[in-house]
């Protein structure tokens, strides 16, 4: 009897192993790009069975079996594939293909890596900012569709996320359904992504060892993409041409017990060092919880938002940040260029707080002294709606809590144009900044 059971187990094991070897691995997620720098890229993908993954690059994607001139192969089998490609040239487009085991490389024109231009380069750059999107709503589809139409002739070079990327709890399966399944084809396989997390990605926890966000994404910790090394995937910066992008984290408690909104501690120390070291003309800072909002959240009543305003906005203003963009509130709100408004909404005084330098409405022309900071809430990429008492903000130039939308920044040398592309396909708000 015992012998027979052992025999059955033995035969079963042989059949199982034969089955796994004969099965062709299927890609169930990706490939998606991470930590794009001037000279490197990380490509990640997931397979249904463990395999050894491999990447090839080519210059000729139209040929079915294109010549592979740079390849990289994993050393051991896995379902979570992650390959770092080094020795790339800045500002260069590489077509890539991933394969598993004995499959062939299959290239196509939509699967490419575009490395970051050289630091300080004045060439045109397009950045797409999207917040509170992975909700599986009709609005998410409409915002995506209108953005795709808008960028049909010029795709975004860089993509920044403002948090609440996958509802409801930032679980891996929620990322699959509401993020990968939605953006894979048009963006994730060929766009340099620099995300930030929101409270829904943390699902109420404050420890980066827990949320799937940190397993799904590979983010620069050592200054690989520019800026001062942060030593953590929680927050980091990127030098994209002549734009310095800073991704902050409003959700995480650092090891020293501080949050960003405390205005001191690990993250704030790094932020100040990073801002002090920056020499690029444009600075865009992004994170989840906004210092000024009257949409689905209220910066007059919610402590973390109030503390962001009181403790952190003075840092942005001191270092002449151009634009601060956040999500969390499921609306669009854009303020005047302003300074020193750390009190409640009703305390906003245009004579005191607006510090603008402009030649016409929404056309800012600033010299080296800069101006105030423009604060944007762009949290209606999926979720949409909501308003608190006193909506719209007294400091708001334009607000919209009816339409969803996302934002495009076009930067060329010393000129920046920002457009909010609404879910109805229209550009419903825009402004420009010319630096002298
Ligand atoms: Fe949200
Ligand atoms: Fe949120």
């Amino acid at each position: 009897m015992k012998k027979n059971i052992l025999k059955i187990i033995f035969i079963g094991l042989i059949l199982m192993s034969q089955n796994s070897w004969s099965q062709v691995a299927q890609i169930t997620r990706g490939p998606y790009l991470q930590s794009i720098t001037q000279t490197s890229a990380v490509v990640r993908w997931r397979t249904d069975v463990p395999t050894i993954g491999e990447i090839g690059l080519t210059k000729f994607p139209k040929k079915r079996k294109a010549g592979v001139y740079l390849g990289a192969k994993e050393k051991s089998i896995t379902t979570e594939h992650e390959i770092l490609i080094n020795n790339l040239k800045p500002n260069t487009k590489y077509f890539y293909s991933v394969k598993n085991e004995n499959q062939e490389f299959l290239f196509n024109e939509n699967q490419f890596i575009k490395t970051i231009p050289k630091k300080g380069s004045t060439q045109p750059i397009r950045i797409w900012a999207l917040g509170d999107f992975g909700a599986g709503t009709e609005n998410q589809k409409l915002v995506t569709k209108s953005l795709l139409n808008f960028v049909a002739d010029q795709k975004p070079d860089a993509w920044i996320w403002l948090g609440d990327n996958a509802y409801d709890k930032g679980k891996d399966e929620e990322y699959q359904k509401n993020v990968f399944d939605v953006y894979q084809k048009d963006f994730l396989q060929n766009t340099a992504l620099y995300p930030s997390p929101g409270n829904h990605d943390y699902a109420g926890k404050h420890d980066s060892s827990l949320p799937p966000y940190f397993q799904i994404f590979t983010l620069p910790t050592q200054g690989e993409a520019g800026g001062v090394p942060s030593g953590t995937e929680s927050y980091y910066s990127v030098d994209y041409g002549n734009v310095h992008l800073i991704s902050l984290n409003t959700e995480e408690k650092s090891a020293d017990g501080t949050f960003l909104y405390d205005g001191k501690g690990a993250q704030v120390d790094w932020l100040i060092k990073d801002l002090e070291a920056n020499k690029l003309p444009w600075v865009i800072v992004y994170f989840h919880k906004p210092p000024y909002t009257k949409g689905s959240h209220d910066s007059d009543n919610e402590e973390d938002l109030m503390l962001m305003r009181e403790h952190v906005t003075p840092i942005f203003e001191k270092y002449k940040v151009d634009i601060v963009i956040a999500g969390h509130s499921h609306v669009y709100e854009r303020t005047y260029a302003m300074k020193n408004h750390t009190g409640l909404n009703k305390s906003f005084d245009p004579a005191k707080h607006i510090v603008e330098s402009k030649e016409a409405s929404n056309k800012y022309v600033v010299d080296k002294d800069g101006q105030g900071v423009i604060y944007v809430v762009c949290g209606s990429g999926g979720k949409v709606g909501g308003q608190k008492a006193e909506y719209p903000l007294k400091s708001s130039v334009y607000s919209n809590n009816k339409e969803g939308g996302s934002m495009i920044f076009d930067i060329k040398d010393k000129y920046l144009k920002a457009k909010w592309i609404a879910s109805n396909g229209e550009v419903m708000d825009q402004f420009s900044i010319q630096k002298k």
Side-chain angles (χ1 to χ4, degrees):
M1 182 69 185
K2 203 176 168 193
K3 252 187 178 175
N4 277 345
I5 291 173
L6 281 173
K7 207 171 164 186
I8 290 166
I9 291 173
F10 183 70
I11 292 168
L13 282 172
I14 287 176
L15 285 174
M16 270 168 69
S17 71
Q18 277 180 343
N19 194 32
S20 72
W21 281 112
S22 60
Q23 203 173 342
V24 176
Q26 298 294 323
I27 293 177
T28 55
R29 173 178 291 178
Y32 57 107
L33 304 183
Q34 293 285 282
S35 287
I36 302 294
T37 76
Q38 286 185 41
T39 57
S40 67
V42 171
V43 180
R44 293 187 60 166
W45 72 100
R46 177 179 287 177
T47 47
D48 56 351
V49 293
T51 63
I52 288 184
E54 203 174 337
I55 282 185
L57 301 185
T58 188
K59 289 174 182 166
F60 308 104
K62 281 184 181 168
K63 285 190 188 166
R64 190 171 173 275
K65 278 190 180 179
V68 175
Y69 72 92
L70 200 156
K73 196 171 179 176
E74 287 169 323
K75 290 190 174 66
S76 54
I77 60 164
T78 179
T79 55
E80 296 298 325
H81 304 273
E82 176 168 352
I83 293 186
L84 168 68
I85 309 170
N86 277 311
N87 303 316
L88 302 177
K89 289 194 186 103
N91 197 36
T92 305
K93 194 168 174 178
Y94 297 87
F95 298 93
Y96 73 94
S97 172
V98 304
K99 73 181 185 83
N100 303 293
E101 302 290 348
N102 298 319
Q103 297 165 0
E104 284 177 10
F105 284 120
L106 292 175
F107 294 93
N108 74 70
E109 282 175 277
N110 293 319
Q111 206 161 289
F112 58 84
I113 297 160
K114 196 177 155 221
T115 49
I116 295 184
K118 278 195 173 145
K119 185 172 174 176
S121 161
T122 57
Q123 71 186 74
I125 288 160
R126 173 165 276 190
I127 299 167
W128 177 29
L130 182 65
D132 303 73
F133 47 96
T137 54
E138 192 58 25
N139 180 58
Q140 181 184 10
K141 286 185 204 146
L142 291 173
V143 170
T144 309
K145 198 175 154 207
S146 65
L147 190 281
L148 267 169
N149 284 337
F150 186 83
V151 302
D153 296 333
Q154 191 196 341
K155 296 261 306 203
D157 300 294
W159 189 13
I160 61 177
W161 286 359
L162 313 175
D164 284 1
N165 312 318
Y167 289 88
D168 191 43
K169 292 195 161 65
K171 289 180 186 169
D172 188 80
E173 59 266 32
E174 292 169 331
Y175 266 97
Q176 186 63 45
K177 184 165 169 274
N178 294 334
V179 180
F180 285 95
D181 290 352
V182 180
Y183 306 106
Q184 172 60 30
K185 183 168 80 54
D186 296 306
F187 299 106
L188 285 163
Q189 64 175 341
N190 55 27
T191 311
L193 169 66
Y194 306 107
S196 73
N199 51 303
H200 282 267
D201 302 299
Y202 270 72
K205 308 206 175 75
H206 300 290
D207 178 344
S208 64
S209 67
L210 297 167
Y213 174 91
F214 292 97
Q215 273 86 63
I216 297 169
F217 302 113
T218 304
L219 306 167
T221 62
Q222 300 303 316
E224 302 95 319
V228 171
S230 65
T232 169
E233 289 188 300
S234 194
Y235 44 86
Y236 57 92
S237 57
V238 177
D239 289 328
Y240 205 104
N242 63 350
V243 186
H244 189 60
L245 295 168
I246 304 180
S247 170
L248 297 179
N249 186 332
T250 52
E251 310 312 310
E252 182 166 289
K253 195 189 220 176
S254 291
D256 62 4
T258 59
F259 283 87
L260 173 64
Y261 57 63
D262 289 319
K264 61 182 180 191
Q267 187 171 181
V268 170
D269 289 347
W270 171 79
L271 170 65
I272 290 171
K273 260 190 232 156
D274 187 75
L275 284 165
E276 272 177 356
N278 175 55
K279 298 275 188 296
L280 296 178
W282 297 102
V283 182
I284 298 175
V285 181
Y286 58 102
F287 48 83
H288 188 57
K289 285 181 178 156
Y292 305 98
T293 183
K294 283 286 181 185
S296 60
H297 288 278
D298 189 344
S299 56
D300 276 357
N301 284 320
E302 296 171 42
E303 199 189 15
D304 35 9
L305 278 61
M306 294 169 80
L307 293 174
M308 280 300 290
R309 184 174 65 245
E310 288 165 23
H311 294 157
V312 191
T313 61
I315 301 171
F316 301 144
E317 290 159 17
K318 180 180 172 189
Y319 291 96
K320 299 189 174 68
V321 169
D322 298 289
I323 295 161
V324 166
I325 181 163
H328 193 47
S329 215
H330 300 150
V331 299
Y332 177 77
E333 295 163 303
R334 194 247 307 177
T335 72
Y336 297 97
M338 61 187 199
K339 267 185 180 172
N340 303 319
H341 174 37
T342 52
L344 299 178
N345 180 53
K346 63 172 188 277
S347 73
F348 179 75
D349 178 351
K352 243 174 38 193
H353 299 128
I354 297 178
V355 184
E356 288 185 340
S357 171
K358 62 182 182 181
E359 60 174 22
S361 173
N362 298 324
K363 285 189 175 161
Y364 302 97
V365 179
V366 300
D367 60 21
K368 66 176 179 8
D369 293 331
Q371 59 174 1
V373 177
I374 295 171
Y375 294 91
V376 179
V377 171
C378 184
S380 54
K383 295 270 183 181
V384 62
Q387 68 180 61
K388 300 294 182 190
E390 299 174 32
Y391 173 89
L393 287 165
K394 282 178 78 180
S395 55
S396 176
V397 180
Y398 178 82
S399 298
N400 190 324
N401 65 353
K402 299 285 182 282
E403 301 284 342
S406 63
M407 190 146 223
I408 286 285
F409 297 106
D410 280 315
I411 298 136
K412 190 181 175 193
D413 195 3
K414 297 286 181 67
Y415 183 75
L416 176 150
K417 181 107 195 173
K419 290 181 177 175
W420 184 62
I421 324 297
S423 52
N424 61 8
E426 285 175 35
V427 174
M428 296 191 79
D429 185 42
Q430 54 184 305
F431 63 92
S432 64
I433 308 173
Q434 174 75 56
K435 289 202 174 182
K436 283 187 174 165

